Amino acid sequence: MKLNPEKTRELALAVLDTEAEGIRGLMARIDARFIRACEHLLACTGRVVVTGMGKSGHVGNKIAATLASTGTPSFFVHPGEASHGDLGMITPGDTVIALSNSGETDELLTILPLIRRLGVPMIALTGNPRSTLAREATVNLDVSVAREACPLGLAPTASTTAALAMGDALAVALLEARGFTADDFARSHPGGRLGRRLLLHVADIMHTGERIPVVRADAPLGDALLEISRQGLGMTAVVDEQRRLIGVFTDGDLRRTLDRGVDVHATTIGEVMTRQFKTAAPTMLAAEALKIMEDHKISALPVLDEGQRLVGALNMHDLLRAGVV
């Protein structure tokens, strides 16, 4: 068995072209039926229950996940399991989305009478508008394609892509109608990078208490260097008697100070500290602190409360560890 690179490339391009053609064909079907489907989903007071068998089931699982993560409570029910007890998961107030390319999937047709008895709306995504499932649905969305991308015309390829794209169209339309925001998305993805960027605050990751690098202005420069080394943030804050920030001293300041030939043992930190500095607030998003660091090409920030008193410190490594960067 040997791979022909040129033929492989041609086949891969043909697959993508066929699937793109299938999706383009859906655009003319974003019509009154699509709007009705969205209205039923938006009016749903329960959950959107997605069901499908085989490859359609895999697509349905993804559609349910996308709906759930974009503001429409949803879950997937396997049609085979539904007829053996799981149909109890569907309750009045729910809306069903059923996927079947043929529209004649036995497992779906078996549970149709039970869905009708519950009186819940059913939106079908089928490749055959004249099928049983399409006729029985409250709304049928035609996701048929001219041909599959599989050269044998057997494996569901373009048809599953089209169904998935229609599911995404429904989810995004509902997202917009609900006024779903990036903050809402982050709340349902707290473990993801976007969730961390939109939910994590400086107070969640800053160093506090004895872990804050801090010295008084009259401290010898040598003591300040020991504090920087001990705390490992690449800087120390300089405060007055009320713990208000009056300056900072960083690794970069140290290099510039040594270049000037300053005597480390005969100089106080107040003489060489930087008096113009950037700070963060505990309530600030960690992503905002990151932007300050990036914009001003610095690697650490002191954190001040509303009274300009030092309450914390953080550096780029803290943001990296928190997954904000």
Side-chain angles (χ1 to χ4, degrees):
M1 195 184 308
K2 188 176 180 181
L3 191 73
N4 183 321
E6 187 57 34
K7 187 173 180 181
T8 300
R9 181 176 178 276
E10 288 177 4
L11 183 58
L13 289 172
V15 168
L16 296 179
D17 187 57
T18 300
E19 299 208 357
E21 179 186 327
I23 293 175
R24 283 193 297 268
L26 298 180
M27 297 177 71
R29 302 172 210 162
I30 305 298
D31 52 17
R33 285 183 293 271
F34 181 84
I35 301 302
R36 282 181 58 211
C38 289
E39 288 171 345
H40 280 294
L41 292 168
L42 196 59
C44 177
T45 57
R47 307 239 173 185
V48 175
V49 182
V50 186
T51 187
M53 196 72 187
K55 301 296 188 298
S56 292
H58 295 309
V59 171
N61 252 310
K62 194 275 180 185
I63 291 174
T66 300
L67 287 167
S69 69
T70 53
T72 301
S74 180
F75 62 91
F76 178 81
V77 170
H78 191 286
E81 300 295 335
S83 60
H84 292 277
D86 281 4
L87 199 65
M89 298 168 73
I90 307 175
T91 62
D94 292 342
T95 297
V96 173
I97 296 178
L99 292 90
S100 170
N101 188 42
S102 68
E104 301 292 348
T105 304
D106 289 340
E107 291 84 354
L108 285 175
L109 299 186
T110 297
I111 63 174
L112 273 182
L114 303 173
I115 293 173
R116 281 202 304 270
R117 189 177 303 166
L118 286 168
V120 300
M122 184 178 72
I123 297 160
L125 273 63
T126 73
N128 181 2
R130 294 178 296 278
S131 64
T132 304
L133 184 62
R135 292 196 308 270
E136 294 290 333
T138 310
V139 181
N140 178 63
L141 298 179
D142 180 5
V143 291
S144 60
V145 295
R147 64 184 186 279
E148 296 287 6
C150 167
L152 302 176
L154 299 175
T157 45
S159 59
T160 49
T161 301
L164 184 59
M166 185 63 83
D168 285 344
L170 289 169
V172 174
L174 293 171
L175 175 155
E176 180 70 19
R178 294 183 192 281
F180 194 79
T181 65
D183 285 343
D184 295 324
F185 188 86
R187 276 189 283 274
S188 62
H189 295 74
R193 184 177 178 186
L194 178 61
R196 289 191 291 271
R197 288 182 67 88
L198 293 178
L199 296 179
L200 201 65
H201 290 82
V202 167
D204 298 322
I205 58 174
M206 69 184 187
H207 297 256
T208 60
E210 294 184 357
R211 297 173 59 223
I212 305 173
V214 57
V215 294
R216 293 277 295 276
D218 57 358
L221 178 55
D223 288 356
L225 300 185
L226 288 173
E227 182 71 354
I228 293 174
S229 176
R230 183 172 68 89
Q231 300 293 8
L233 295 187
M235 58 84 72
T236 186
V238 185
V239 299
D240 63 13
E241 294 84 354
Q242 285 76 45
R243 205 173 171 83
R244 287 191 295 263
L245 187 68
I246 58 175
V248 297
F249 192 78
T250 68
D251 288 340
D253 292 325
L254 173 60
R255 287 190 293 272
R256 288 185 287 272
T257 298
L258 294 177
D259 285 343
R260 297 200 306 270
V262 172
D263 187 341
V264 172
H265 302 289
T267 305
T268 65
I269 191 67
E271 297 175 67
V272 292
M273 68 184 182
T274 298
R275 297 178 182 274
Q276 293 186 349
F277 43 78
K278 299 298 176 183
T279 65
T283 56
M284 178 184 290
L285 287 174
E288 293 179 75
L290 172 63
K291 188 173 190 316
I292 292 173
M293 291 185 194
E294 291 176 336
D295 288 349
H296 297 281
K297 296 179 172 58
I298 55 179
S299 60
L301 286 171
V303 183
L304 308 183
D305 65 12
E306 292 179 355
Q308 299 302 297
R309 290 180 292 272
L310 183 70
V311 293
L314 77 163
N315 68 2
M316 191 66 76
H317 293 295
D318 298 318
L319 296 170
L320 281 166
R321 279 192 294 270
V324 178
V325 180

